[in-house]
Amino acid sequence: MMNTGSRMRRLHVLAFTSLFRTPSEKVRAPFTSEFLRALKEFADVTLVCPIPWAPDIAFTRDRPDWARFVTAPRCAEVDGVQVHYTRYPMIPKLSGVLQPTLQAWAAWSTVRAIHEKQPVDVVNGRFVYPDGVAAARLARRLGVPYVLTALGTDINIYATQRLKRGQAARALQQAAHVTAVSPALADRIAELGVDRSRIAAAVNGIDLDRFRPDGDRVVLPPGAPGEGRKTLLTVARLSQEKGLHVLVDALGLLARQGRCDFHTVLVGDGPERDALQARLHELGLQDRVTLAGEVDHAAVPAWLRGAAGFCLPSFREGTPNVVIEALATGIPVTSTNVGGTPLLLNDSNGLLVEPGQAEPLAQALHTMMSRAWDRDTIRRSVAHMSWRSEAERHAQLFERIACGAVA
């Protein structure tokens, strides 16, 4: 336990973010649970997760995107984290500007009860808009300092939108400190009027014990379309910003050139699944690409160990944890020159291309899948990154802030 000044009791951190799974979901933002679980070594941690209210009727229970909210309990331990789910009213596509206010209003009674039971020392809003803005309002009502953590889309997209930018900027400017998952993101935050002395940039950590080259691996079963060939793996939400349609087009180019001697597996689910499936059939790639669907995050290391290469062709990112996880597993990565990804890749562990361009991506994939790589060298490139070290760094920051020291 860390103590600063005269403070003797253990630090209590209230995390506030919607980026956390409900008990019925296999995976959602696993970096949140990994970080909070590591933080528990250094502080007491309580999570408040705002979720939209949905009526408990057959229509919502039959829709997976809403059923996860309907079935969520008010309080549960999930992934080793004590989490309180607070429901706020939301009208899709209409409530965006009001979302921080609605989140804070719905969560206040829960937050106040948590504080009365065990005084909160610091509030950590993870994802600046809307969650961080709501967290800032809750912290001010409690009379405690708050730290905001920027993850990517919250700054790169939402903080550029006219009616959201002012709310995000004010919350950031009034925060005791701001952390960001890449230097590029820190630069964007400074442009919103936040003093650079109150911004810290550091890449997220990973669980190095789980993500390693040795151990169980998932391979395609006998008789599967790609059985016996090398596997290119992608683990991502099937959504537009991940650039998977560009990957499919790149694979189509390689197939037409007779250079696609590997099988591709896309692990994940999302709104682009049907469009990707249609494009695969259009290009005649249905026997070269497998859409494996969503898997538990605990299964991801085995999928990575069974692959010869990894690809994440995103249009935007903070610093993608899945790239760090792939590198820790010892497999090379081809990804795009966005966010903090360039800080992770070099000639010894992968290749970078510009986003949205199928032809350069195709060439990079062919190069990666044809080259002999040293797995130990790849792993060493990220061996210094761990959730424990990142959690300890944040805990020290929270402790200084709670004691009134200059952060």
Side-chain angles (χ1 to χ4, degrees):
M1 181 176 69
M2 297 170 300
N3 292 314
T4 302
S6 60
R7 194 168 158 33
M8 297 303 294
R9 65 179 177 83
R10 186 169 163 88
L11 184 75
H12 183 199
V13 178
L14 177 71
F16 188 91
T17 184
S18 61
L19 297 182
F20 195 83
R21 75 179 183 93
T22 59
S24 64
E25 293 177 284
K26 289 183 178 179
V27 62
R28 175 171 168 78
F31 49 84
T32 302
S33 57
E34 295 277 6
F35 170 77
L36 295 179
R37 196 160 53 233
L39 184 61
K40 287 173 61 179
E41 179 181 343
F42 308 100
D44 292 336
V45 178
T46 306
L47 170 63
V48 173
C49 178
I51 59 175
W53 174 84
D56 188 359
I57 57 177
F59 175 77
T60 52
R61 282 185 171 269
D62 290 341
R63 294 173 58 90
D65 52 339
W66 281 99
R68 60 194 174 104
F69 302 135
V70 172
T71 59
R74 295 185 63 180
C75 184
E77 183 171 305
V78 180
D79 295 336
V81 178
Q82 189 68 27
V83 53
H84 299 258
Y85 297 98
T86 58
R87 289 172 165 82
Y88 63 93
M90 186 186 77
I91 303 174
K93 299 183 180 180
L94 295 179
S95 300
V97 176
L98 297 175
Q99 199 165 337
T101 301
L102 297 173
Q103 285 185 350
W105 170 78
W108 171 242
S109 61
T110 297
V111 168
R112 182 177 57 190
I114 292 169
H115 185 59
E116 289 174 351
K117 183 177 180 180
Q118 181 184 3
V120 172
D121 299 297
V122 177
V123 173
N124 180 206
R126 305 186 64 80
F127 202 67
V128 171
Y129 192 96
D131 305 351
V133 176
R137 295 175 182 178
L138 292 166
R140 285 194 290 269
R141 290 194 70 177
L142 288 180
V144 302
Y146 67 91
V147 174
L148 297 187
T149 299
L151 301 174
T153 302
D154 48 354
I155 299 298
N156 293 328
I157 302 298
Y158 299 147
T160 66
Q161 297 172 355
R162 184 174 61 87
L163 296 177
K164 299 175 182 178
R165 179 185 175 93
Q167 296 183 64
R170 283 191 296 275
L172 288 163
Q173 292 162 8
Q174 296 170 13
H177 209 83
V178 180
T179 61
V181 296
S182 75
L185 208 55
D187 291 341
R188 297 292 298 273
I189 292 167
E191 292 170 4
L192 292 170
V194 182
D195 192 298
R196 287 307 297 250
S197 67
R198 293 191 295 108
I199 307 172
V203 174
N204 276 336
I206 59 168
D207 187 337
L208 291 168
D209 291 331
R210 289 200 303 121
F211 291 93
R212 62 184 194 277
D214 58 307
D216 295 338
R217 59 190 61 209
V218 173
V219 293
L220 294 170
E227 190 264 329
R229 283 187 284 169
K230 291 185 292 186
T231 299
L232 172 70
L233 182 69
T234 291
V235 180
R237 175 171 162 78
L238 306 188
S239 53
Q240 190 73 20
E241 73 275 6
K242 295 301 181 181
L244 299 175
H245 57 288
V246 182
L247 171 59
V248 169
D249 287 347
L251 295 173
L253 288 173
L254 290 175
R256 289 197 297 273
Q257 296 164 1
R259 298 196 296 166
C260 192
D261 59 348
F262 53 86
H263 191 81
T264 301
V265 177
L266 307 184
V267 171
D269 206 349
E272 292 294 302
R273 182 183 180 90
D274 290 345
L276 290 170
Q277 191 77 69
R279 184 61 173 159
L280 290 173
H281 280 275
E282 184 181 341
L283 296 175
L285 297 174
Q286 60 269 26
D287 291 335
R288 296 176 180 268
V289 180
T290 297
L291 298 182
E294 192 173 72
V295 303
D296 289 330
H297 189 248
V300 171
W303 278 98
L304 288 169
R305 283 190 287 266
F310 184 87
C311 180
L312 187 68
S314 303
F315 284 91
R316 56 180 182 268
E317 288 287 351
T319 299
N321 265 63
V322 69
V323 168
I324 308 174
E325 292 168 350
L327 296 173
T329 311
I331 65 171
V333 172
T334 292
S335 192
T336 42
N337 187 21
V338 296
T341 306
L343 300 175
L344 303 174
L345 299 183
N346 55 55
D347 292 340
S348 68
N349 65 9
L351 301 165
L352 274 175
V353 297
E354 294 303 314
Q357 300 180 26
E359 192 166 338
L361 179 59
Q363 180 58 51
L365 291 175
H366 177 70
T367 299
M368 179 178 71
M369 298 299 285
S370 302
R371 177 177 160 185
W373 299 85
D374 184 84
R375 286 204 168 207
D376 290 338
T377 299
I378 293 173
R379 178 174 170 83
R380 281 197 298 270
S381 69
V382 295
H384 60 288
M385 300 177 184
S386 72
W387 281 119
R388 186 184 186 280
S389 60
E390 185 64 12
E392 184 175 22
R393 187 180 72 85
H394 273 79
Q396 291 170 347
L397 171 65
F398 297 154
E399 189 76 53
R400 292 196 301 271
I401 289 170
C403 292
V406 177

